[in-house]
Amino acid sequence: MSTFEAIILALIQGFTEFLPISSSAHLILPSQLLGWQDQGLAFDVAVHVGTLAAVVFYYRTEVVELVVGWFNSLRGQHTSHSRLAWFIVWATVPAAMAGLLGNDLLENYGRSALVIASSTIAFGFLLWYADTRASEKSSLSALTLKQALFVGLAQAIALIPGTSRSGITITAGLLLGLTRMDAARFSFLLSIPIIMLAGGYKGVQLIQQAEPVAWGLVLLGMAIAFVAAYVCIKLFLQVIERMGMLPFVIYRLVLGAILFYLFL
C-alpha cells in the first residue's frame, strides 16, 4: 500500500465512520475501481483506533462522567450518568453477539456489490422515513432500557455491509421519538464500546499473524482517521441541527445507484 492509498483510505474511514452513509459502501470503490489491494489488518486496526480516539475526545467530558458513574454504580451509587452508561453496555450486547456468531458468514457472503448497493438504498429510505416521521418529543434523559435495547438491536443489523452503523442507530433513535441531536449523541456514545470490541478483535488477529507491519503508514492512517472523524462529528451535528437527515438520504440513494451501475 502506497502513502497516497493510506491517506485516501484513512480519510474515507474517518469521514464515513460516523456519517449515516456506510463506510463499507465507500471502501469498496477504491478496490473495485482502482484495483487497490486490501489495506491489511494492521492498517485496519489503526484507523479504528483513530476513529475511536476521535469520538472519545469529542465527548471526553461525558465519557469521563459515564465511566465514573458506571464504577460508582457498582458500589450502589446510582445517577443519571450511571443509568446511561448501563444502557450503553446492554445496548452493545446484541451487536457484540451478532459479530461473534455471524462475522465469518458475512465476510464470505455479505460483501458483494449487490448486498452493499441494496442495503445502501434500502436503509437510506428507512432513514428518510424515520426523519420525516420524527416527533422529536423525547430526550436521552428519558430513554428506557427497552428503548436502548431497541437501538442496540438495530446496531446489530449494521453488520450487513452498506447499512451504516451510525445510520441505523440514528434511525432507531428517531423512530423512538428522540430529537435528532440526542439520537446522534446516543449513536456516537454507543459506537465507543463496539469500536473497542472490533478493534480488540482485530488486534488479537494482528498479534497472531506473522506478516511485517509498515508502522509509518499505520501511524499516518491513525492520525488522519482521527482528524477526519473528529471534523466529521462536528460538522455532522451542525448539519442535522439545521437540515435534518435529507442530505444524507439523497447521498445514499445516489451512491447506491452508482454502485448498481458500476458493479451489476
Side-chain angles (χ1 to χ4, degrees), residues 94-145:
M97 294 299 295
L100 286 174
L101 297 175
N103 184 68
D104 291 340
L105 180 65
L106 289 170
E107 284 290 337
N108 292 330
Y109 302 105
R111 296 198 174 275
S112 70
L114 176 60
V115 170
I116 293 175
S118 299
S119 55
T120 297
I121 292 175
F123 288 106
F125 276 120
L126 184 59
L127 176 61
W128 170 78
Y129 174 82
D131 191 48
T132 55
R133 295 299 184 93
S135 64
E136 296 196 274
K137 294 180 178 179
S138 182
S139 66
L140 202 53
S141 61
L143 193 73
T144 66
L145 176 58

Side-chain angles (χ1 to χ4, degrees), residues 224-258:
I224 291 175
F226 170 82
V227 174
Y230 183 86
V231 171
C232 169
I233 294 171
K234 193 175 184 66
L235 293 178
F236 174 67
L237 293 176
Q238 293 175 356
V239 169
I240 64 170
E241 190 172 23
R242 298 176 183 176
M243 305 174 64
M245 299 295 172
L246 184 58
F248 305 101
V249 170
I250 295 173
Y251 184 88
R252 286 185 70 112
L253 299 181
V254 171
L255 177 62
I258 291 173

Side-chain angles (χ1 to χ4, degrees), residues 2-253:
S2 68
T3 301
F4 176 74
E5 291 177 14
I7 293 172
I8 297 301
L9 291 173
L11 284 172
I12 292 174
Q13 182 67 40
F15 277 121
T16 61
E17 180 68 36
F18 298 110
L19 292 180
I21 56 177
S22 174
S23 58
S24 58
H26 288 77
L27 290 172
I28 192 178
L29 293 173
S31 61
Q32 295 289 335
L33 294 179
L34 304 176
W36 291 1
Q37 295 182 347
D38 183 84
Q39 64 264 35
L41 193 55
F43 190 82
D44 200 15
V45 171
V47 293
H48 273 81
V49 171
T51 55
L52 173 64
V55 69
V56 170
F57 183 70
Y58 189 88
Y59 288 103
R60 56 193 178 277
T61 301
E62 187 166 8
V63 168
V64 171
E65 292 173 340
L66 290 172
V67 171
V68 171
W70 186 82
F71 277 108
N72 286 339
S73 72
L74 299 178
R75 299 183 295 178
Q77 301 175 15
H78 300 285
T79 65
S80 59
H81 296 303
S82 66
R83 180 172 172 272
L84 181 57
W86 275 110
F87 285 179
I88 291 172
V89 170
W90 285 114
T92 301
V93 172
M97 294 299 295
L100 286 174
L101 297 175
N103 184 68
D104 291 340
L105 180 65
L106 289 170
E107 284 290 337
N108 292 330
Y109 302 105
R111 296 198 174 275
S112 70
L114 176 60
V115 170
I116 293 175
S118 299
S119 55
T120 297
I121 292 175
F123 288 106
F125 276 120
L126 184 59
L127 176 61
W128 170 78
Y129 174 82
D131 191 48
T132 55
R133 295 299 184 93
S135 64
E136 296 196 274
K137 294 180 178 179
S138 182
S139 66
L140 202 53
S141 61
L143 193 73
T144 66
L145 176 58
K146 184 178 180 180
Q147 291 173 326
L149 288 174
F150 176 75
V151 180
L153 289 170
Q155 182 172 239
I157 300 174
L159 289 171
I160 302 172
T163 302
S164 170
R165 193 212 61 83
S166 63
I168 195 64
T169 50
I170 290 173
T171 297
L174 292 173
L175 291 173
L176 291 172
L178 290 176
T179 66
R180 292 186 180 96
M181 295 299 287
D182 275 353
R185 177 175 151 228
F186 188 59
S187 171
F188 292 154
L189 292 173
L190 193 57
S191 74
I192 295 173
I194 204 67
I195 294 176
M196 288 178 65
L197 290 172
Y201 178 75
K202 291 178 181 294
V204 171
Q205 292 180 315
L206 178 61
I207 293 172
Q208 294 174 342
Q209 76 172 17
E211 297 179 9
V213 176
W215 289 108
L217 293 180
V218 165
L219 295 175
L220 177 65
M222 186 187 302
I224 291 175
F226 170 82
V227 174
Y230 183 86
V231 171
C232 169
I233 294 171
K234 193 175 184 66
L235 293 178
F236 174 67
L237 293 176
Q238 293 175 356
V239 169
I240 64 170
E241 190 172 23
R242 298 176 183 176
M243 305 174 64
M245 299 295 172
L246 184 58
F248 305 101
V249 170
I250 295 173
Y251 184 88
R252 286 185 70 112
L253 299 181

